[in-house]
Amino acid sequence: MPPVIIDLEDLVPIDKESESPLKVCQNKNVVQCLSKLDDTIIQSYADYLVNKDLIPLASGDSDLDKRIGYGHVLLHMGKYDEAIQHFNKLLQLDNELAGAYYGRGTAYAKKDQGEQSIEKALNDFNKVIELENDESEGYEKKAEVLIQIGNPRLAMHEIGQAMKFKKRCPKLFYLRGIVNLVLKNLTQAEKDLRESLKLDIQQPLTALYHLAITLFNQGKVRNAIQVFKEALKLDPDNKDLQLGLGQAYKEIGNVKQAEKSLNGILTVTSDSKKNQVSSWLLKGQMEYNSGNTQKSVESFKQCLDVDKNNYICQYYHGVAHVAMGQYFQGVKDFTKVIVYDTEGHRKLTPEFLKSHYLREYARYLHMKLNDPVTSLNIEADFTGEMLDHWIKRLPFDSIETYIEKPGIQPLVSDVHLLNFEDLPQNVQKLLCRAEHIGNMAQVKVDGFFVNRRLNTAMGLATIHIAQYVQKVWSRPKGVKINGKKAWWQTLFGIAVQYRRLVDPESLIIWLNKIKYGSGDDNQYKTDITFISGQVVNIQRMQYFDLVFKLFKSMLTEYKDVTDLDKIDTAEDLIKIARMRSSGSNLFMSTQVPSTKDKNKHFDGILMSLTTDQNNMVQLALSIATMKSRSNDFHSELDFIFTKLHDEIKRNGIGKIADVEGFVNLILSLAYYFYNLMPLSKGTSAVAYSVLMGLLLSVGREVTVGIPQGKLMDMEAMLSGAPDAFILVAKQWMNIKKSSEQLSTLPKVWEVLPTLRNVLEVLSLASMPC
């Protein structure tokens, strides 16, 4: 969130008919214009302020107030030292002149020369309060200074005091909104800022800007976009507003509109360094999240050209290079992030912590460049302790037993960037088919990007799985290749390898394979947060109503709980929980019915509604990875895959008697995998690729993409049973006979035999399919 900036009120514009000297600076930069004015005109300004009754805490003496006004004009000219000297002279004449203390305190606050100036400003405003304790001005200015120095709670107290005297003051509502924003009381911040705008029909930009920031932080990103647009109508060239709008569009995954907003900053070389850096960083992140790694590298480089010491841009510059298989530059970038520590407090930043692990990962992948993609075995090639610490983002130097990977070997070259047109025709055809298949799995939910790299990778995974399954099931003995058992884990493992190559920053690990610690207590959790305080997760909020209804259903067991229809917030549920028990938290777990044993149920997800130490509500889903739970789900997946194999063995892969039943088994396999949630990340994409791959292997394909606002993993976890999930999924997918035979495509592992080859095609600048 951008820093809160409190500006002094602007001079009131002159009436058109007036002959006041203020008219000289009309429609100009007031500070620049005033700085050129002589003493006579400055005094005319002061006279004007007195005549218009614009002097704060006026004494009532016209001559004295004109002298106070003179000091305020100096303030607006930016001549703070001169203003302080001027007010000092007035206070020598009258040491109880509240208006002079007010003016001098304002000058000290604006001077911004450290703690000494701030302390003097506070002392002056305390004196104003002492002299005029029934006026709001002293409390108001003191609150501004307290906000400026990062003391929002004391600022809130002063605002409350000021509101006793000015109950409907737009600026006080604005200040209170700012304080609530800083304190993360976002609901009240929104109310205050809207009230400020309602009372001030001129719609000040600062209030609109902070209202947009408040809405953004609440997860009401589309509402924030509308407010940013409204503010830009008043000031179309405002770079802070353009940057905020670009960030909001990025948050919902609208890259085109985000780039349009940022272009207004990037095309103006004279704009502030901070805005330039932020804009290039945002642009690079959007390009990376859209799968345009080559473009993202250029944007991150532009960011570093503006600020060579920006460690965040340096970090993402490294991530993008590693994604393309250019490991030498990636390791170099991560090393810079690690060693560059001039600020002395960077070691706890996410970029610093992750750089150590990604540097090791880059060295590892470089060694594997000429090996098949499916040969990667991260869980075995890294120690369990290292993987455990990586997942938990613990400091790298806290690992007790780990030997770093060898440095980049010059004999193994990095991946070279290719053009689509340079590829053989059969590979071009394969990639276009993969992209089409991957697009069927594209999520259409705010917060998710349309990612060409992800879609192509998972499309390749789908085809690879389908071709592999046909190869396995076309053999008489069925489930073995080269003496190795080809089971459901093999298929999901293929999809995992491709998902890993999409984004090296996303650690994709089989959680049950981490060999660290002992017993079932050393569990890992996958947490899906809906609400944290007053911040909502826009990627999951379309399922909030369903989860909320499930929690409300818990309350029906209490006979004295009435008017359930009136309970419409998480806070309401917490209040009921407090009344009914000594605790203030609600927990509810789901059960996953077994297909293998109709009398058995597995542990599903744990839904929790809790409050933290600051009394902020947390609504989340958790899925625990424990040995006993994993064994239950593995047994179920074994059972379903065996039934799939038996059906193929009975009639052959091209002669399935009950196609509908076979499709249902495939969807059941995906259902249990979604509910198991066995991966640190990427479970949803992996499951959908395996699902589509199995369908493709028997001549069926998904012809319709995932509907707007829907997520397959959430549908599976909240459906209650595999039959319900199957019914919904089949309606969406519109599964039909394949429009193109799988045999018309080259074998993925033959035309892309190594990790190097796969990274070459995933890193293409464009694919004109």
Side-chain angles (χ1 to χ4, degrees):
M1 186 184 71
V4 176
I5 301 173
I6 305 297
D7 290 325
L8 295 171
E9 294 183 19
D10 294 331
L11 291 170
V12 178
I14 186 68
D15 295 332
K16 289 184 179 179
E17 292 77 19
S18 173
E19 295 300 324
S20 163
L22 269 174
K23 191 173 182 180
V24 175
C25 291
Q26 192 173 1
N27 299 323
K28 298 180 182 179
N29 183 304
V30 175
V31 173
Q32 290 181 4
C33 181
L34 285 175
S35 64
K36 301 175 183 178
L37 303 182
D38 60 26
D39 187 72
T40 302
I41 298 179
I42 292 174
Q43 188 58 61
S44 297
Y45 270 97
D47 294 346
Y48 172 81
L49 293 177
V50 173
N51 294 335
K52 290 293 182 178
D53 197 24
L54 296 174
I55 301 296
L57 299 170
S59 67
D61 183 318
S62 178
D63 291 337
L64 188 56
D65 287 338
K66 286 179 181 179
R67 297 182 69 179
I68 294 174
Y70 191 100
H72 280 285
V73 177
L74 290 173
L75 268 174
H76 285 285
M77 294 171 67
K79 298 183 176 182
Y80 305 126
D81 287 328
E82 290 184 32
I84 290 169
Q85 292 174 11
H86 181 80
F87 288 121
N88 282 340
K89 291 177 181 178
L90 290 178
L91 289 169
Q92 287 173 3
L93 298 175
D94 184 352
N95 64 1
E96 293 191 352
L97 192 57
Y101 283 111
Y102 179 92
R104 190 175 69 175
T106 303
Y108 279 128
K110 292 287 284 184
K111 190 175 178 182
D112 191 24
Q113 287 192 358
E115 295 181 6
Q116 189 174 4
S117 291
I118 293 299
E119 184 178 354
K120 289 179 178 179
L122 290 173
N123 288 337
D124 278 346
F125 294 137
N126 283 330
K127 188 65 177 180
V128 172
I129 292 170
E130 177 187 327
L131 295 171
E132 301 285 352
N133 60 12
D134 57 350
E135 297 287 347
S136 66
E137 283 82 352
Y139 299 107
E140 179 183 315
K141 281 297 178 183
K142 186 178 178 183
E144 288 185 23
V145 176
L146 290 168
I147 293 172
Q148 181 181 335
I149 63 175
N151 199 332
R153 298 191 184 280
L154 281 180
M156 183 68 82
H157 172 76
E158 300 302 326
I159 293 168
Q161 293 295 106
M163 280 185 159
K164 293 178 181 179
F165 309 108
K166 284 187 180 179
K167 299 183 183 299
R168 307 296 296 162
C169 174
K171 187 170 183 181
L172 289 175
F173 276 105
Y174 167 72
L175 291 175
R176 194 170 73 177
I178 295 297
V179 173
N180 278 314
L181 173 58
V182 173
L183 294 174
K184 297 184 179 181
N185 298 325
L186 301 178
T187 302
Q188 187 59 49
E190 180 186 350
K191 290 179 181 178
D192 286 335
L193 291 167
R194 289 193 184 280
E195 187 65 21
S196 172
L197 290 164
K198 179 181 176 182
L199 294 171
D200 190 343
I201 59 174
Q202 292 184 0
Q203 301 284 291
L205 284 176
T206 51
L208 285 170
Y209 174 76
H210 286 100
L211 174 59
I213 294 296
T214 300
L215 292 168
F216 180 90
N217 287 341
Q218 285 179 287
K220 300 177 181 178
V221 183
R222 291 187 179 273
N223 300 90
I225 287 171
Q226 294 306 313
V227 176
F228 277 126
K229 286 182 175 180
E230 186 179 343
L232 281 165
K233 289 178 183 178
L234 302 176
D235 187 0
D237 296 324
N238 188 295
K239 305 308 179 189
D240 289 329
L241 293 173
Q242 290 174 353
L243 182 60
L245 181 59
Q247 174 71 58
Y249 274 125
K250 172 185 176 287
E251 191 71 9
I252 65 172
N254 191 333
V255 176
K256 184 177 180 180
Q257 288 297 326
E259 288 185 337
K260 183 178 178 181
S261 299
L262 296 178
N263 282 340
I265 302 171
L266 298 177
T267 55
V268 181
T269 56
S270 61
D271 194 45
S272 73
K273 180 178 179 180
K274 176 185 172 184
N275 282 345
Q276 286 272 317
V277 167
S278 297
S279 296
W280 283 119
L281 176 60
L282 279 179
K283 188 173 186 293
Q285 288 174 330
M286 287 188 297
E287 290 161 343
Y288 183 81
N289 291 332
S290 301
N292 298 318
T293 48
Q294 290 192 42
K295 285 186 178 180
S296 73
V297 165
E298 289 304 312
S299 294
F300 295 133
K301 184 179 182 300
Q302 289 281 0
C303 176
L304 290 169
D305 287 344
V306 177
D307 181 3
K308 66 179 181 180
N309 295 325
N310 189 287
Y311 68 93
I312 300 178
C313 290
Q314 193 82 62
Y315 169 79
Y316 282 108
H317 190 256
V319 170
H321 274 289
V322 170
M324 295 189 297
Q326 297 180 340
Y327 300 113
F328 179 81
Q329 182 61 49
V331 168
K332 185 178 176 181
D333 286 325
F334 296 139
T335 302
K336 283 184 178 180
V337 175
I338 292 168
V339 302
Y340 184 71
D341 192 24
T342 58
E343 294 178 3
H345 55 73
R346 186 170 300 149
K347 291 186 177 181
L348 295 180
T349 66
E351 292 78 21
F352 179 87
L353 293 172
K354 290 186 289 186
S355 286
H356 281 93
Y357 295 102
L358 285 173
R359 185 171 65 173
E360 288 300 289
Y361 189 41
R363 290 168 173 168
Y364 169 78
L365 291 175
H366 184 259
M367 292 189 298
K368 300 288 185 177
L369 268 177
N370 297 322
D371 296 342
V373 169
T374 52
S375 70
L376 300 179
N377 192 350
I378 294 174
E379 292 82 4
D381 294 337
F382 287 96
T383 66
E385 184 184 15
M386 193 268 201
L387 295 175
D388 174 84
H389 284 47
W390 190 356
I391 288 174
K392 296 173 181 176
R393 291 192 184 178
L394 299 174
F396 187 81
D397 56 13
S398 67
I399 302 173
E400 294 181 2
T401 55
Y402 180 74
I403 300 175
E404 291 190 6
K405 300 294 180 185
I408 298 296
Q409 301 301 309
L411 295 178
V412 181
S413 63
D414 277 345
V415 173
H416 298 293
L417 299 179
L418 304 178
N419 295 317
F420 182 79
E421 295 76 14
D422 298 332
L423 300 172
Q425 288 292 323
N426 63 340
V427 176
Q428 291 183 16
K429 181 179 179 180
L430 173 66
L431 292 177
C432 288
R433 181 68 173 150
E435 184 181 35
H436 172 75
I437 292 171
N439 288 340
M440 291 295 104
Q442 176 63 52
V443 173
K444 306 176 188 69
V445 174
D446 282 354
F448 289 90
F449 285 78
V450 176
N451 189 324
R452 178 173 59 83
R453 183 183 176 94
L454 172 62
N455 292 344
T456 303
M458 302 322 292
L460 285 172
T462 297
I463 297 170
H464 191 142
I465 290 166
Q467 292 172 336
Y468 179 83
V469 167
Q470 283 191 347
K471 181 179 179 180
V472 172
W473 279 340
S474 64
R475 298 180 175 221
K477 294 185 179 180
V479 294
K480 285 189 177 181
I481 290 184
N482 298 328
K484 294 183 179 179
K485 190 175 184 180
W487 211 239
W488 62 267
Q489 293 97 328
T490 309
L491 307 187
F492 285 98
I494 292 171
V496 165
Q497 301 290 26
Y498 283 93
R499 178 62 184 85
R500 281 172 175 159
L501 300 183
V502 173
D503 175 20
E505 192 185 28
S506 298
L507 177 63
I508 314 293
I509 295 292
W510 292 93
L511 295 173
N512 68 310
K513 292 184 179 181
I514 299 177
K515 307 301 181 184
Y516 182 65
S518 60
D520 220 20
D521 293 332
N522 186 35
Q523 60 178 265
Y524 297 94
K525 289 196 307 177
T526 299
D527 294 318
I528 300 172
T529 302
F530 285 86
I531 297 175
S532 179
Q534 294 171 10
V535 179
V536 302
N537 180 352
I538 64 171
Q539 293 183 340
R540 304 285 175 170
M541 279 311 292
Q542 62 272 27
Y543 290 94
F544 171 79
D545 288 342
L546 176 56
V547 173
F548 191 75
K549 287 178 182 177
L550 291 174
F551 271 116
K552 285 175 67 172
S553 68
M554 293 177 61
L555 301 180
T556 58
E557 64 183 80
Y558 300 128
K559 295 181 180 180
D560 56 343
V561 175
T562 58
D563 297 326
L564 282 175
D565 293 338
K566 295 181 180 179
I567 298 176
D568 55 9
T569 68
E571 287 78 7
D572 291 338
L573 286 176
I574 289 290
K575 290 177 183 177
I576 296 295
R578 285 172 176 165
M579 289 190 294
R580 294 302 311 163
S581 65
S582 57
S584 60
N585 302 323
L586 289 174
F587 297 95
M588 182 173 66
S589 59
T590 63
Q591 296 290 302
V592 178
S594 169
T595 299
K596 180 180 178 181
D597 183 350
K598 300 299 182 183
N599 297 318
K600 191 173 182 179
H601 290 77
F602 309 135
D603 291 333
I605 56 177
L606 177 67
M607 296 187 284
S608 60
L609 182 61
T610 62
T611 54
D612 62 17
Q613 59 185 6
N614 296 318
N615 209 33
M616 291 291 187
V617 173
Q618 313 285 322
L619 176 60
L621 306 183
S622 296
I623 304 96
T625 301
M626 297 183 292
K627 185 177 180 179
S628 57
R629 184 176 183 274
S630 296
N631 289 341
D632 286 338
F633 276 91
H634 283 203
S635 176
E636 197 70 20
L637 290 163
D638 286 343
F639 173 74
I640 294 170
F641 196 80
T642 299
K643 294 187 72 173
L644 285 169
H645 170 65
D646 290 346
E647 177 63 28
I648 295 296
K649 187 177 179 181
R650 191 163 38 247
N651 297 302
I653 197 164
K655 301 177 182 179
I656 299 173
D658 181 10
V659 174
E660 193 74 11
F662 195 83
V663 169
N664 289 349
L665 284 173
I666 293 173
L667 291 171
S668 293
L669 194 76
Y671 168 81
Y672 286 105
F673 192 82
Y674 280 126
N675 276 280
L676 173 58
M677 200 64 68
L679 303 173
S680 54
K681 282 186 178 180
T683 293
S684 187
V686 166
Y688 209 73
S689 290
V690 172
L691 182 160
M692 291 194 296
L694 285 169
L695 289 172
L696 197 60
S697 71
V698 294
R700 297 294 185 273
E701 67 179 353
V702 175
T703 62
V704 177
I706 299 173
Q708 185 79 32
K710 299 297 183 180
L711 298 170
M712 289 298 290
D713 54 356
M714 296 300 299
E715 294 292 328
M717 289 187 289
L718 297 174
S719 62
D723 290 345
F725 172 73
I726 290 168
L727 181 64
V728 171
K730 286 169 71 173
Q731 289 175 346
W732 293 353
M733 294 175 173
N734 194 25
I735 299 170
K736 294 182 179 181
K737 285 187 176 181
S738 299
S739 58
E740 182 179 2
Q741 293 295 318
L742 195 60
S743 59
T744 65
L745 297 174
K747 297 291 190 294
V748 176
W749 56 84
E750 291 179 356
V751 295
L752 302 174
T754 66
L755 170 62
R756 179 187 303 277
N757 300 129
V758 176
L759 289 175
E760 285 173 345
V761 299
L762 291 183
S763 302
L764 294 170
S766 62
M767 281 176 37
C769 295

